[in-house]
Amino acid sequence: YAKEQGRNNWQLYERTLTTRTTARLVLEGDIRKALERGEFRLFYQPQVRANDGAVIGIEALIRWQHPQRGLVFPGQFIPVAEESGLIVPMGEWVLNAACSQVREWQRSGVMVPRVAVNVSARQLGTPDFLDTVAAIIAATGVAADLVELELTESILMDPEAKRIKGLFRLRAMGVHFSIDDFGTGYSSLSYIKRFPIGTLKIDQSFVRGLPQNADDAGITTAIIAMARSLDLGVIAEGVESREQLDFLQRAQCPKLQGYLFSRPVPPDEMEALLRRGRIVLPREGAGE
Ligand code: C2E
Ligand code: MG
Ligand code: MG
Ligand code: MG
C-alpha cells in the first residue's frame, strides 16, 4: 500500500512539475511577445508628504494589458521575467516609458515630482546598466534629479560589488536611489552608507500591523529613527487606514504611500492628481 501510494505521489509530483514547467515556458514566450507587441503599461501611485498630503513623488508600477486576460499584475509575471532574464529588456522599457511620461506631462504644463522606478537585482547586475540608464535619461531629456531607482535590500549584502561605482556615477549625474521593502531582507545595516542611498521604504508588512502589533510598531519606529540618524529619507508603504496614518504622523514619518491616499492609477488619472498637487488627508477623529 505504501509503495502504491508512493508511486501515486511521485506521478502526481511529476505531473505537477511538468505542468508547471510547461506553464512557465508558455508564460515566458508570452512575455517576450507582449514586449514586442507593446502590451505593458505603467500605472502610477502617489507618494505624499505626511503633514499636508502634497504629492512629492510617484512610483511607476508595471501592468500587462493582456488581450484575453485583461489587466495582469506584476506578481503574475515578474518572477518568470526575473528567472528568464526578460526582466532586463522589460526594465529598460519601464524606465524609458516612465521618463517619456514625465516629459509628456511637463510639455503639457504639469508639475511633475520625482518618479520612482523599480529595478530588479538582475537588471542592476548587467554590465551595461549604468550606460543604459544614462542613455535613457539623455534620450528622453528628463532631469536626472527627477529619477529615483528603487533597489532591493539584497544589493546591500555585497559591499564590494563592482556595480557600486556605477551607482555613484549615476548619483553624481543626479539620479536618486532608495531601498524598497526595507526591513524584510538580511542586509548588514552598516553597508547602507557605502551605497548612494537616499531613502528607505519601510515594507508594507510592518505597516500592516500598525498600530496594534507591538513588533511592527517597534520596527517601524526604529527604521524611522535610524533613517533620521543616518540622514536618510524614509517613506512608509502600504498605508491603508486612518489608524496607520495617525501612528505614522505621530512617529514623524515624513512621507507615505498607500491605498488610503490612492491606488496605482493610469497616466490620465495621475495627470489629474498632479494638477491638483495634493491629496486631502483624512483628519484624526474623522473616521476612515
Ligand atoms: P513594490 O515596489 O514594493 O510596490 C508596492 C506594491 O504594493 C504595488 O503592487 C502596489 O500596488 C501595492 N500597494 C500600494 N499601496 C498599497 C496598500 O496600501 N496596500 C496594499 N496591500 N498594497 C499596496 P504591484 O503594483 O502589484 O507590484 C508588486 C511588486 O512588483 C512591486 O512591489 C515590485 O516589487 C514589482 N514591480 C512592479 N512594477 C515593477 C517594475 O516595473 N519592475 C520591477 N523590476 N518590478 C516591479
Ligand atoms: Mg517599489
Ligand atoms: Mg515595496
Ligand atoms: Mg515589493
Side-chain angles (χ1 to χ4, degrees):
Y1 175 72
K3 201 172 156 195
E4 184 68 13
Q5 197 181 19
R7 194 169 54 204
N8 284 344
N9 280 346
W10 171 250
Q11 284 175 345
L12 186 67
Y13 170 72
E14 206 174 31
R15 215 177 320 131
T16 316
L17 192 71
T18 312
T19 313
R20 242 203 250 130
T21 311
T22 311
R24 235 189 48 112
L25 285 173
V26 170
L27 180 55
E28 189 180 320
D30 285 353
I31 295 172
R32 202 183 302 274
K33 276 180 253 159
L35 276 168
E36 288 163 10
R37 295 173 184 163
E39 292 172 3
F40 291 101
R41 302 282 179 270
L42 289 185
F43 274 41
Y44 297 89
Q45 187 180 35
Q47 302 177 330
V48 303
R49 196 156 58 198
N51 54 21
D52 65 357
V55 179
I56 38 73
I58 59 182
E59 179 174 2
L61 294 156
I62 195 169
R63 306 287 181 255
W64 180 359
Q65 188 63 61
H66 193 282
Q68 283 87 40
R69 289 193 281 155
L71 202 63
V72 183
F73 286 77
Q76 303 289 308
F77 59 87
I78 289 279
V80 170
E82 297 247 13
E83 279 172 55
S84 62
L86 285 168
I87 194 72
V88 175
M90 184 183 288
E92 275 181 42
W93 177 84
V94 169
L95 185 61
N96 189 70
C99 293
S100 304
Q101 181 66 74
V102 170
R103 297 296 288 137
E104 202 181 310
W105 278 329
Q106 288 176 330
R107 276 193 293 270
S108 59
V110 179
M111 288 279 284
V112 189
R114 193 172 293 157
V115 178
V117 172
N118 293 283
V119 171
S120 86
R122 178 134 187 201
Q123 212 186 329
L124 191 68
T126 58
D128 50 1
F129 179 74
L130 164 72
D131 293 336
T132 305
V133 174
I136 291 173
I137 288 172
T140 54
V142 74
D145 179 54
L146 287 186
V147 178
E148 176 168 308
L149 303 180
E150 293 193 359
L151 311 177
T152 58
E153 200 176 349
S154 62
I155 67 138
L156 299 177
M157 291 162 73
D158 184 8
E160 309 304 334
K162 277 188 260 139
R163 51 177 105 109
I164 296 185
K165 226 185 214 160
L167 296 184
F168 274 101
R169 297 252 304 274
L170 287 172
R171 181 68 201 101
M173 287 172 51
V175 175
H176 297 265
F177 294 96
S178 54
I179 299 291
D180 207 349
D181 305 342
F182 187 76
T184 55
Y186 300 91
S187 62
S188 176
L189 298 180
S190 62
Y191 290 165
I192 291 179
K193 279 298 182 180
R194 301 194 200 179
F195 291 82
I197 301 300
T199 303
L200 306 179
K201 298 194 74 178
I202 303 172
D203 189 65
Q204 49 191 56
S205 61
F206 305 120
V207 175
R208 199 173 299 136
L210 300 178
Q212 292 88 0
N213 185 296
D215 290 340
D216 291 341
I219 291 167
T220 302
T221 308
I223 295 175
I224 295 167
M226 186 182 66
R228 175 166 308 139
S229 62
L230 290 174
D231 205 18
L232 297 169
V234 61
I235 177 165
E237 291 193 83
V239 182
E240 293 185 354
S241 74
R242 254 287 325 281
E243 289 72 22
Q244 292 166 347
L245 170 63
D246 292 346
F247 180 94
L248 290 161
Q249 283 178 326
R250 283 202 204 96
Q252 306 214 46
C253 185
K255 298 180 188 181
L256 310 167
Q257 181 179 349
Y259 293 168
L260 182 65
F261 314 107
S262 168
R263 293 195 171 245
V265 292
D268 55 331
E269 277 181 56
M270 183 46 78
E271 178 174 333
L273 180 54
L274 290 177
R275 287 185 189 278
R276 289 197 295 278
R278 66 180 292 251
I279 288 166
V280 180
L281 299 179
R283 280 176 308 131
E284 212 166 332
E288 253 174 63

